[in-house]
Amino acid sequence: MSDPFVLTLSCADRPGITARVTSFLFERGGNILEAQQFNDRMSDAFFMRVEFDPGAISRDVFRAEFAPLASELAMEWKLSLRDRPRRVLIMVSKFDHCLADLLYRWRIGELPMEPVAIVSNHPREAIKHTDLGDLPFHHLPITRDTKPAQEAQVRAIAEQSGAELVVLARYMQILSDEQAAHFAGRCINIHHSFLPGFKGAKPYHQAYERGVKMIGASAHYVTGDLDEGPIIHQDAESIGHADTPDALVRKGRDIESRVLAEAVRLHLEERVLLNSQRTVVFRG
């Protein structure tokens, strides 16, 4: 068996797309390992993800031979090696539970990633409970006046390290429109999700005061609109009348960590396709 490929594509919907793609693979000796598709009837858009063993065909040859079909159908498409770890830059502030969880899942082989750098607006001592090992750590403090320069440093680190994904693991700074645009489609954020929404300091304490019956978390791509980017994954947990503010904070840490980890996994495995302000998520 050759190293499996992942083909993802989107285009205007029309009859025969699945047949054209699968026939293309069959005619070149490819063996489909997993295939999912979605026809969005609201926008007449078609989305597809195919894992396949390419047989003897190389990635360069596949790209060259698939390009005419993709052009004919006006596809946006991507071909990736399925099992290649993606290079990830992680940003964090003082709350390091999401960072610790991501690194643990990476170390046990659960997340197909290669952390290339940790960036924080606080000194390393602020996250002393998390074992960073030999990972490069960059302390980049930020103020209103230094924000443009600090964000330029982040972009430089991402470029120099070859980062393919940026993860805001409770990085408590709002990215500028320029920064959000630079990392469009490759920057994931996590935030608490309540009904009603609580903004500002100590949101879990605010939730306690309002007697919420459910807390949650949302992981989404970063855009210039604060916390309104395309959602990748969400989850929620029930809250009881006996839960204290500390209990809400504890449950909040847990749900933030697992929601972010799942969103990162889905992105790394090429399972998330953008559909305007929404996402198509091919779970596996």
Side-chain angles (χ1 to χ4, degrees), residues 39-178:
N39 305 62
D40 187 349
R41 300 194 176 202
M42 298 295 291
S43 62
D44 285 329
F46 177 86
F47 302 85
M48 190 174 190
R49 179 186 184 276
V50 186
E51 289 185 15
F52 63 99
D53 176 354
I57 192 170
S58 70
R59 185 157 50 150
D60 289 341
V61 171
F62 182 96
R63 289 181 188 276
E65 295 188 355
F66 189 74
L69 173 60
S71 179
E72 176 190 342
L73 299 179
M75 290 179 179
E76 292 186 13
W77 63 287
K78 181 180 180 182
L79 182 69
S80 309
L81 283 171
R82 186 189 68 181
D83 298 329
R84 179 184 64 82
R86 276 57 170 173
R87 297 171 68 82
V88 178
L89 184 155
I90 305 175
M91 302 184 69
V92 65
S93 291
K94 289 183 177 180
F95 302 107
D96 58 352
H97 51 283
C98 289
L99 170 65
D101 184 72
L102 290 173
L103 295 182
Y104 174 76
R105 293 174 191 266
W106 160 61
R107 286 172 173 140
I108 66 173
E110 183 177 315
L111 287 177
M113 70 179 188
E114 178 186 348
V116 293
I118 309 297
V119 171
S120 179
N121 57 317
H122 292 279
R124 186 164 182 162
E125 292 73 27
I127 54 171
K128 62 184 178 181
H129 298 297
T130 297
D131 178 17
L132 301 184
D134 296 327
L135 295 175
F137 179 86
H138 303 270
H139 173 212
L140 302 181
I142 186 171
T143 66
R144 178 179 299 178
D145 294 335
T146 64
K147 185 169 186 170
Q150 193 259 17
E151 291 194 333
Q153 288 179 284
V154 173
R155 293 194 296 273
I157 292 170
E159 182 176 354
Q160 292 163 8
S161 64
E164 301 164 85
L165 175 67
V166 176
V167 178
L168 307 185
R170 290 304 304 271
Y171 179 66
M172 307 304 289
Q173 295 291 323
I174 299 173
L175 301 192
S176 68
D177 290 348
E178 179 186 4

Side-chain angles (χ1 to χ4, degrees), residues 11 188 191:
C11 59
I188 297 175
H191 67 88

